DNA sequence: GTCTATATCAGGATAGAC
DNA sequence: GTCTATCCTGATATAGAC
């Protein structure tokens, strides 16, 4: 389709300067095709039942190429999961910074936890989560990676926000890290637990709102500083 | 070692009455040996990586016998897990009934959730839990079974206790089922979540007590009826 | 770097004697 | 009911040409 390494030596940019392509340009595309095919297969079948033959046919690349790139099945699996994990949580980033300044704290917390729940309950993320949990004993690295990603994306920023709200005199949480865990657990965690064992259950928006609101009220009943009334 | 079906026809009890043994007495013992060996193999390797050959050697029974008893690998797996699940939760039964009459509600809730946590965080139960979660897509029945067992053993009785405490005027929980989920989630759930992804981490009793107590305080801050003070 | 063709072996499952 | 011996498919991984 596009320029390949074969004719790359004669290609020039707008200034007539030869474009030196990454010698592994085609290799990179193949590498990505392998990763995509492998991800689909691993998510559908799990690690052990996944077949390198199936990954080979779906990727359109020969099996020998896969082994040249990734060495063996374990390394391919780790590369695939480690590549997927951070990107799935990327949707959660923006919602934390404004929390400390929100005029209506309850509404802000409900919005935050609802966003968390909506992302984390997505079927593809739940499937990935089940896969990682099931393979933790075989791949302990994935547990550490999962912990780091969820901490950086969820618990870490939330803990900081709770600390800041404490400084502002709006919350009274002696242990902000634990308070953050409690807020997550009593909102997202409840819904996640049910969905973990019931993969095909629909995400009922009304139930989501009800559980999340009740969890936020639980949190505020314990940690909110009573306004002058 | 012991009496087998071969010489059973001549065995008599204390009254001289011939003991008619269950014709499948030896078969039952073999069946149990298969289940034990299979449980060890499945818990160690997962479903797909578990080997019927390994189960065969460890059980001391021939492979053909295993297939006569259980038909195929899937049915063996389901029989094993369905057999283990209820027994692992049997340790939780007694602690619920006395809850409504406890003089010190906070202490009683801390004791209850501590017992829950101590059992559910046991490494063998965590391993079983990871296995079931990882195989949910292949065996949706296990998800329903898991839900039923945990509901009957945990959430159900706890919901009833909260309802009863509401009738007694000691709690004010408009949705007892949700309140029960919140109590579990913000105590056991937090510890379980961490251990799910960190299989080798020790269960720190001090941390357990701290998290459980804080979760109970969270629960009571929202639902306890203030005593006359 | 990439492919075709193949080595090598373990997997689940069964036939048939006893 | 139980065993021994075996079938056959599919698995991961590699050798060697281009």
């Amino acid at each position: 389709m596009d320029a390949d390494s074969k004719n790359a030596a004669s290609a020039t940019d707008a200034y007539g300067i030869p474009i030196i392509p990454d010698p592994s340009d085609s290799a990179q595309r193949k590498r990505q095709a392998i990763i995509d095919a492998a991800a689909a297969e691993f998510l559908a079948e799990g690690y052990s039942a996944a077949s390198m033959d199936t990954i080979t046919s779906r990727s359109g690349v020969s099996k020998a190429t896969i082994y040249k790139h990734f060495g063996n099945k374990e390394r391919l699996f780790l590369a695939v999961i480690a590549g997927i994990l951070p990107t799935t949580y990327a949707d959660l980033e923006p919602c934390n910074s404004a929390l400390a300044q929100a005029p209506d704290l309850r509404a802000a917390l409900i919005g935050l936890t609802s966003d968390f729940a909506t992302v984390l309950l997505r079927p593809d993320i739940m499937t990935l989560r089940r896969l990682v949990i099931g393979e933790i004993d075989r791949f302990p690295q994935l547990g550490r990676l999962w912990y780091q990603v969820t901490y950086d994306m969820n618990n870490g920023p939330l803990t900081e926000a709770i600390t800041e709200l404490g400084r502002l005199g709006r919350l009274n949480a002696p242990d902000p890290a634990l308070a953050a865990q409690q807020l997550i657990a009593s909102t997202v965690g409840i819904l996640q637990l049910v969905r973990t064992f019931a993969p095909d259950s629909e995400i009922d928006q009304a139930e989501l709102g009800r559980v999340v609101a009740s969890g936020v009220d639980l949190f505020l009943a314990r940690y909110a500083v009573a306004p002058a009334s």
Side-chain angles (χ1 to χ4, degrees), chain A residues 86-109:
Chain A
T87 65
T88 52
Y89 279 80
D91 301 342
L92 293 179
E93 203 164 357
C95 35
N96 284 333
S97 50
L99 191 63
Q101 274 76 32
D104 185 346
L105 184 56
R106 178 174 186 272
L109 287 174

Side-chain angles (χ1 to χ4, degrees), chain A residues 113 117-118 121 126 184-197 201 203-204 207-209 211-212:
Chain A
T113 50
T118 304
L121 295 179
M126 290 296 296
I184 299 283
S186 52
T187 54
V188 186
I190 290 177
L191 298 162
Q192 217 176 17
L193 182 63
V194 176
R195 294 305 181 289
T196 297
F197 291 97
S201 66
I203 302 167
D204 181 348
E207 186 207 2
L208 189 151
V211 172
V212 162

Side-chain angles (χ1 to χ4, degrees), chain A residues 9-78:
Chain A
S10 60
T12 57
D13 65 9
Y15 303 92
I17 300 172
I19 296 172
I20 310 296
D22 183 346
S24 56
D25 182 23
S26 155
Q28 286 293 351
R29 274 200 314 276
K30 286 191 196 296
R31 189 184 175 89
Q32 192 57 46
I34 295 166
I35 287 181
D36 292 344
E41 173 73 357
F42 283 131
L43 285 171
E45 301 294 332
Y47 171 74
S48 297
S51 158
M52 295 296 278
D53 279 6
T54 305
I55 295 174
T56 298
S57 11
R58 285 201 201 154
S59 66
V61 174
S62 84
K63 194 158 25 168
T65 300
I66 296 181
Y67 278 90
K68 288 289 180 191
H69 274 262
F70 295 96
N72 58 32
K73 191 184 181 182
E74 290 195 1
R75 297 171 72 90
L76 174 59
F77 181 72
L78 286 172

Side-chain angles (χ1 to χ4, degrees), chain A residues 170-191:
Chain A
R170 303 180 66 185
L171 286 184
N172 176 25
D175 187 339
L178 181 55
Q181 286 179 294
Q182 289 166 339
L183 178 61
I184 299 283
S186 52
T187 54
V188 186
I190 290 177
L191 298 162

